[in-house]
């Protein structure tokens, strides 16, 4: 679909009636010289399949806030997902799996800790140039307060050092990546790619049909990697999931 035509589509309707608040506009974090606008609501509890319906209406989650981009004249933020049974790791992704074969990966309920907060603070400082570390309460509200079913993956080396943490929302048909943070000193491992591969593997083991990677923005370098997990599909502004072409 032509991008200009797609951008004219209205934002998708929520799957259940909710009161949405339009948030103040702010500079777009993905595309230069654009302004971003979100509408959102606060949730104390959502059943897993109801939240899955929000994913399929272009919503995402940050803490207890469920939000959707409603930028004027732009629908560049496209939800992206991987059909788990069809996924095939590329050569470089298989190398990444071998490179990290020494790591121990554990899945369980999300639990905040001093160790995780310290890792998150270093990740933010070195990967996102955040000179003012988030307060501990902000960290916990962002990642460890969830109104939906959530699972946490931890990645440790042979010395039991925590190298990475992944937070995902889970239901019977989807695993949705919320956030992944890692030790910036271990960048050569490709932990971001490795985490996504392990989360796809977890989905396969659990019989979950789709792995959601958040938004994909064509032309945004830091988001383009999401289309490397093939085959993958994007939710276009007309409400249909279609394969992403190279």
């Amino acid at each position: 679909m032509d991008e200009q035509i797609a951008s004219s589509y209205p934002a998708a309707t929520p799957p259940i009636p909710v009161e949405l608040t339009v948030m103040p506009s702010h500079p777009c974090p993905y595309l230069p010289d654009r302004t971003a606008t979100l509408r959102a609501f606060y949730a104390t509890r959502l059943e897993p399949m109801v939240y899955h319906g929000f994913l399929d209406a272009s919503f995402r989650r940050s803490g207890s806030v469920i939000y959707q981009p409603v930028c004027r004249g732009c629908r560049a933020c496209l939800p992206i997902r991987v059909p788990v049974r069809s996924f095939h790791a590329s050569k470089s992704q298989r190398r990444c799996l071998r490179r990290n074969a020494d790591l121990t990966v554990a899945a369980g309920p999300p639990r905040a800790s001093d160790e995780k907060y310290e890792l998150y603070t270093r990740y933010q400082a070195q990967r996102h140039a955040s000179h003012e570390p988030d307060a501990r309460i902000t960290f916990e509200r962002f990642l460890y307060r969830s109104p939906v079913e959530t699972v946490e993956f931890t990645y440790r080396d042979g010395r039991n050092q925590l190298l990475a943490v992944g937070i995902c929302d889970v239901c019977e048909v989807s695993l949705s990546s919320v956030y992944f943070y890692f030790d910036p000193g271990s960048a050569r491992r490709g932990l971001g790619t490795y985490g996504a591969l392990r989360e796809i593997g977890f989905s396969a083991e659990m019989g979950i049909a789709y792995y959601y990677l958040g938004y994909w923005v064509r032309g945004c370098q830091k988001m383009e990697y999401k289309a490397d997990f093939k085959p993958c599909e994007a939710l276009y502004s007309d409400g249909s999931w279609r394969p992403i072409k190279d």
Side-chain angles (χ1 to χ4, degrees):
M1 175 178 295
D2 182 87
E3 184 176 347
Q4 290 183 339
I5 296 175
S7 69
S8 68
Y9 276 78
T13 303
I16 60 172
V18 291
E19 184 176 347
L20 294 166
T21 299
V22 178
M23 311 300 288
S25 297
H26 57 278
C28 177
Y30 307 126
L31 297 173
D33 303 321
R34 298 201 190 185
T35 299
T37 306
L38 305 175
R39 63 179 183 176
F41 69 99
Y42 183 90
T44 56
R45 179 66 186 169
L46 285 175
E47 291 302 313
M49 285 304 296
V50 173
Y51 180 62
H52 175 77
F54 277 98
L55 292 177
D56 281 350
S58 301
F59 283 81
R60 293 288 293 163
R61 181 178 72 81
S62 176
S64 297
V65 175
I66 315 298
Y67 66 91
Q68 178 194 53
V70 288
C71 309
R72 187 167 184 167
C74 178
R75 293 291 179 268
C77 290
L78 302 179
I80 182 173
R81 71 183 186 183
V82 175
V84 171
R85 292 184 63 182
S86 303
F87 173 72
H88 295 287
S90 66
K91 288 184 179 180
S92 64
Q93 289 166 350
R94 292 195 295 271
R95 287 196 297 269
C96 183
L97 286 170
R98 292 193 295 270
R99 191 161 55 244
N100 291 284
D102 61 314
L103 299 186
T104 299
V105 185
R111 302 192 192 284
S113 68
D114 292 343
E115 180 186 37
K116 293 171 185 174
Y117 176 57
E118 190 275 333
L119 177 63
Y120 173 81
T121 299
R122 284 193 290 116
Y123 173 79
Q124 287 289 322
Q126 296 192 40
R127 300 290 293 192
H128 296 287
S130 177
H131 302 295
E132 293 288 337
D134 289 346
R136 174 67 179 264
I137 188 63
T138 303
F139 161 73
E140 293 188 12
R141 285 174 178 167
F142 172 40
L143 294 177
Y144 292 94
R145 294 189 185 178
S146 172
V148 299
E149 296 295 327
T150 304
V151 62
E152 178 181 67
F153 299 90
T154 55
Y155 301 77
R156 295 182 181 274
D157 64 13
R159 298 173 298 165
N160 203 38
Q161 180 180 352
L162 182 67
L163 295 187
V165 177
I167 306 287
C168 292
D169 296 330
V170 60
C171 78
E172 60 190 81
V173 295
S174 62
L175 185 74
S176 174
S177 176
V178 176
Y179 202 74
F180 189 88
Y181 59 100
F182 59 88
D183 173 19
S186 300
R188 57 169 290 276
R189 284 180 171 270
L191 289 168
T193 295
Y194 182 66
L197 292 170
R198 289 303 301 258
E199 289 167 5
I200 292 172
F202 175 86
S203 301
E205 292 170 9
M206 300 299 293
I208 294 171
Y210 294 102
Y211 173 63
Y212 286 64
L213 294 95
Y215 297 121
W216 173 71
V217 181
R218 189 184 295 275
C220 176
Q221 185 175 3
K222 67 180 180 180
M223 304 286 273
E224 288 282 4
Y225 79 94
K226 296 181 180 184
D228 292 337
F229 298 91
K230 294 182 170 67
C232 55
E233 304 169 340
L235 180 62
Y236 288 87
S237 299
D238 60 355
S240 64
W241 287 98
R242 298 198 297 276
I244 292 177
K245 308 285 187 176
D246 288 338

